[in-house]
Amino acid sequence: MSSEQLEQFITQLRRQLVNLGGIAEYMVRDSIESVVERDSDLAQRVIERDDEADLLENNIREKCIHLMAEPTAKLKEVQQLMVINDISRNLERVADKAVNISKRSLELTESSPIKPYIDLPIMADKSQKMLKDVIDAFVNHDLMMAQNVVERDAEVDFLYDQMVDEIQSMLENERKVQPCISLLLVIRHLERIADLAASIGEDIYYLIDGRLIRHQKLITSSVSLGTTPKNRNSYGVVGQTSANRAD
């Protein structure tokens, strides 16, 4: 395979990745709407769409593995393929979280509302905007947007902690125990979606700049893509980003 052909395949993978991101976005949006509107039919449609995300992620992963094994693949191409594979895996996890939210939504429709949803739409909006912006950062090769998404994860964490305290205070009412647990799981999955968006932001930052962001701090030792620094293997990998923290 020539270098030109390899680049064409990578471009196709980037398009597939954006498609997967769009599917994940819609699934998250619809899952939250099913909770707020108590729409069991919408929740079921989200659950049924999970196979579409799984198949696309599997396709991207298989192509990445195949292309990384190409003798003509240079370090820069291998790094791009590894990042595309990581982002694809995290987007599939986002879709899984949307499915989990939809399952909890079905549980919540079986009981009376325990409280008006005030903070939930705010938290959901922040998480969804992080996901949208990180996909835009990938499409536009936007370094600052990727870093901004990573930094905004703390806002969702703050809302999550607030809501956990509020919901736990209602657990004393026996009639509200099950819906409270379901709602706790909904916001937990939302918090994880924000984590995954931040993880993708870290990957994009590394793809563009060659540096890793962890805990909103830049690693001081930087390297441009295409060179192999010390303490890296032949693929230029330095450990793992927060992607694996977001399961």
Side-chain angles (χ1 to χ4, degrees):
M1 182 183 296
S2 68
S3 298
E4 291 77 13
Q5 289 175 318
L6 181 60
E7 187 59 39
Q8 288 176 0
F9 277 116
I10 292 175
T11 299
Q12 291 174 8
L13 281 172
R14 291 173 66 92
R15 290 171 181 162
Q16 285 186 300
L17 192 65
V18 173
N19 186 24
L20 178 57
I23 293 171
E25 276 191 82
Y26 281 116
M27 289 177 68
V28 172
R29 182 201 64 188
D30 289 348
S31 67
I32 293 300
E33 183 177 339
S34 76
V35 174
V36 174
E37 300 297 330
R38 300 175 62 81
D39 188 336
S40 57
D41 289 337
L42 183 58
Q44 192 60 47
R45 289 199 295 273
V46 173
I47 295 169
E48 292 170 356
R49 198 172 187 188
D50 189 39
D51 287 344
E52 183 182 357
D54 289 343
L55 287 172
L56 186 52
E57 190 269 336
N58 284 338
N59 184 265
I60 292 171
R61 183 176 70 250
E62 289 175 1
K63 288 181 179 178
C64 284
I65 293 171
H66 173 74
L67 293 174
M68 281 190 285
E70 280 292 325
T72 55
K74 298 179 181 178
L75 176 60
K76 182 177 180 180
E77 284 79 30
V78 171
Q79 287 172 317
Q80 288 185 65
L81 290 165
M82 292 183 71
V83 170
I84 288 171
N85 186 52
D86 284 345
I87 294 174
S88 174
R89 185 175 65 246
N90 281 330
L91 287 173
E92 190 275 331
R93 289 173 178 171
V94 168
D96 285 345
K97 299 303 176 189
V99 169
N100 291 337
I101 290 172
S102 296
K103 290 178 179 178
R104 304 293 79 77
S105 175
L106 292 175
E107 294 172 355
L108 287 166
T109 59
E110 295 175 358
S111 58
S112 301
I114 57 175
K115 64 183 291 294
Y117 292 132
I118 298 173
D119 292 332
L120 177 62
I122 297 172
M123 182 181 178
D125 183 63
K126 288 181 178 295
S127 297
Q128 290 177 85
K129 284 182 177 177
M130 286 176 65
L131 183 60
K132 177 184 181 302
D133 288 348
V134 83
I135 294 170
D136 288 345
F138 177 77
V139 171
N140 299 319
H141 225 55
D142 192 330
L143 184 74
M144 298 309 296
M145 178 67 77
Q147 184 175 2
N148 178 261
V149 170
V150 175
E151 293 169 350
R152 280 152 55 191
D153 189 33
E155 298 176 14
V156 176
D157 289 341
F158 178 78
L159 281 171
Y160 171 73
D161 290 338
Q162 274 192 329
M163 292 182 68
V164 167
D165 290 342
E166 181 182 0
I167 296 169
Q168 284 180 338
S169 69
M170 295 187 287
L171 286 171
E172 296 177 1
N173 187 331
E174 292 184 1
R175 291 178 298 177
K176 293 184 177 182
V177 170
Q178 186 54 55
C180 279
I181 292 173
S182 296
L183 187 55
L184 281 170
L185 290 171
V186 166
I187 65 171
R188 178 57 171 167
H189 295 315
L190 264 180
E191 190 269 339
R192 285 304 193 188
I193 288 170
D195 283 346
L196 288 162
S199 297
I200 294 170
E202 291 180 353
D203 282 336
I204 294 168
Y205 198 101
Y206 173 66
L207 181 65
I208 298 170
D209 187 78
R211 289 183 287 178
L212 292 175
I213 303 175
R214 285 206 181 101
H215 306 298
Q216 302 166 14
K217 293 181 181 179
L218 284 175
I219 302 298
T220 54
S221 59
S222 62
V223 62
S224 297
L225 291 177
T227 61
T228 307
K230 295 180 180 179
N231 300 325
R232 296 191 181 206
N233 61 23
S234 60
Y235 288 153
V237 180
V238 184
Q240 297 176 329
T241 66
S242 65
N244 293 329
R245 298 197 307 269
D247 283 327

